[in-house]
Amino acid sequence: MATQLKRDLRCSEAEWMARQDLAACYRIFDRLGWSESIYNHITLRVPGEEAFLINPFGLLWSEVTASNLVKIDPEGNKLCGSPYPVNLAGFTQHSVFHKNLPWAHAIVHTHTPDTMAVCSSEEGLTPTNFYSCFFEGAIGYHDFEGITVRPEEGERLVRNIGNNRVLMLRNHGPVVMAETLPAMFLYYYMLQRACEIQIKTNAAGTPIEISEEVIAVHQRDRDQVVLPGGFGKADFDAWVRKLDTLDRGWRD
Ligand SMILES: [Zn+2]
C-alpha cells in the first residue's frame, strides 16, 4: 500500500521518509497527550527542497498519516493535490522561523496546559529542576500580541528567539525548533517535563533555586550521554517502536 501511495503522490524517497517521520511524530505527540484537537502544528522541511510538510487542517493528530500530510511552499501554498486545507493562520509563525532560520528544519508549537501555564507566569521557566536547567540561558520570550497571524509580528518573533531553539510565547505557548525532527522531539520532551515539574513544585512548596555553577556542569555533562545517531534519535526511534505495537496506520 505504501508503494502505491508513494507513487500517487509522485514523491521522492527522501520526501516519503520525511512524511513517515513526521506522521510518526504527530502520533507520538498525541499519545503523550500533547496534541490540541485539530489545531497546532509540527512542520518539517522536505530534504533538499524549499517545501514543508504540515498536518491536514480538520484532522486530529491521531488521524495524521504519511500520505495525508500536506506539502506546502514557504508561503503555505499547496504543492500537492491534497484534498485537505491548510491552516494558513497557524502556519504564519512556523513560516517566519523556517524562512529566517535556515537550520530550523523541524518546528512544533503546542498549547499543553503546563507549558501554557509557565508561558503565562511572570517568572517563566525557572532553574529549579533537572530538566529546566538544560534551558537556562537558552530560551527566548515573546510578549503576547494576540493570535500570531499577522506577518509584521515576524521580525519580533525572530529577534526574540535569538540564538535559541525555544521561544516561549507569553500568555500563549512554546515554539520549539531544531535541525532534525528527533532533536526537536527531545528538546520538546524535556521542555514539557520541565514545565510539568515546575507547576508541581510550585504547588508542593518553595522551589529550590539551582546555582549557576551546578547549571553549567549539568549542561556540559548532558552532551556526554547522547547515543549514536545524533541528539534525540534513539529516543525518537524508541517511541516509533512503541507506536508500531499500538497502530501502524500512520505509515500509509
Ligand atoms: Zn498557539
Side-chain angles (χ1 to χ4, degrees):
M1 186 167 179
T3 315
Q4 185 58 44
L5 287 166
K6 202 161 58 173
R7 205 173 297 142
D8 293 347
L9 285 164
R10 291 196 203 91
C11 69
S12 65
E13 191 58 34
E15 180 183 330
W16 185 252
M17 298 286 283
R19 283 177 173 274
Q20 288 223 319
D21 288 346
L22 185 58
C25 197
Y26 272 100
R27 298 291 190 104
I28 293 166
F29 265 67
D30 185 65
R31 291 270 172 187
L32 291 168
W34 304 336
S35 58
E36 180 75 352
S37 184
I38 59 169
Y39 303 102
N40 290 175
H41 313 283
I42 309 171
T43 52
L44 179 65
R45 181 188 295 271
V46 177
E49 295 184 40
E50 274 305 296
F52 304 90
L53 296 169
I54 192 167
N55 49 330
F57 192 28
L59 297 191
L60 296 169
W61 289 26
S62 58
E63 297 175 307
V64 171
T65 66
S67 58
N68 71 21
L69 284 163
V70 185
K71 187 179 182 181
I72 51 176
D73 70 13
E75 312 306 327
N77 302 305
K78 280 200 271 184
L79 295 172
C80 59
S82 172
Y84 297 101
V86 169
N87 181 353
L88 278 179
F91 182 63
T92 304
Q93 59 170 337
H94 286 242
S95 161
V96 163
F97 295 119
H98 280 306
K99 276 192 218 163
N100 290 281
L101 306 172
W103 55 266
H105 296 318
I107 302 179
V108 65
H109 168 59
T110 69
H111 281 182
T112 62
D114 293 298
T115 57
M116 284 187 92
V118 170
C119 283
S120 306
S121 73
E122 191 123 28
E123 312 75 52
L125 195 66
T126 57
T128 51
N129 70 63
F130 184 94
Y131 289 113
S132 68
C133 282
F134 289 134
F135 296 101
E136 187 63 8
I139 205 166
Y141 289 88
H142 177 79
D143 285 341
F144 191 52
E145 301 184 17
I147 189 166
T148 42
V149 295
R150 286 157 293 101
E152 82 271 9
E153 192 179 0
E155 207 177 297
R156 292 185 289 282
L157 285 165
V158 171
R159 191 171 57 233
N160 287 331
I161 194 169
N163 295 321
N164 305 306
R165 292 188 180 88
V166 177
L167 182 65
M168 300 294 262
L169 305 176
R170 289 197 186 276
N171 309 102
H172 185 173
V175 186
V176 178
M177 58 199 75
E179 295 81 345
T180 67
L181 196 67
M184 181 281 286
F185 170 72
L186 188 50
Y187 284 120
Y188 185 84
Y189 185 99
M190 294 194 299
L191 181 70
Q192 174 68 35
R193 276 280 189 270
C195 293
E196 288 168 6
I197 296 160
Q198 181 169 318
I199 302 295
K200 284 188 187 297
T201 307
N202 287 341
T206 307
I208 306 164
E209 195 90 14
I210 299 169
S211 72
E212 281 179 26
E213 294 74 35
V214 172
I215 292 170
V217 169
H218 192 58
Q219 292 187 347
R220 181 198 67 200
D221 292 350
R222 184 198 67 184
D223 296 337
Q224 294 173 14
V225 295
V226 174
L227 289 166
F231 189 74
K233 182 75 168 69
D235 304 69
F236 189 74
D237 288 351
W239 282 100
V240 172
R241 290 195 302 276
K242 170 82 175 171
L243 204 52
D244 274 337
T245 66
L246 303 165
D247 173 15
R248 294 174 62 89
W250 59 274
R251 286 186 172 276
D252 290 332

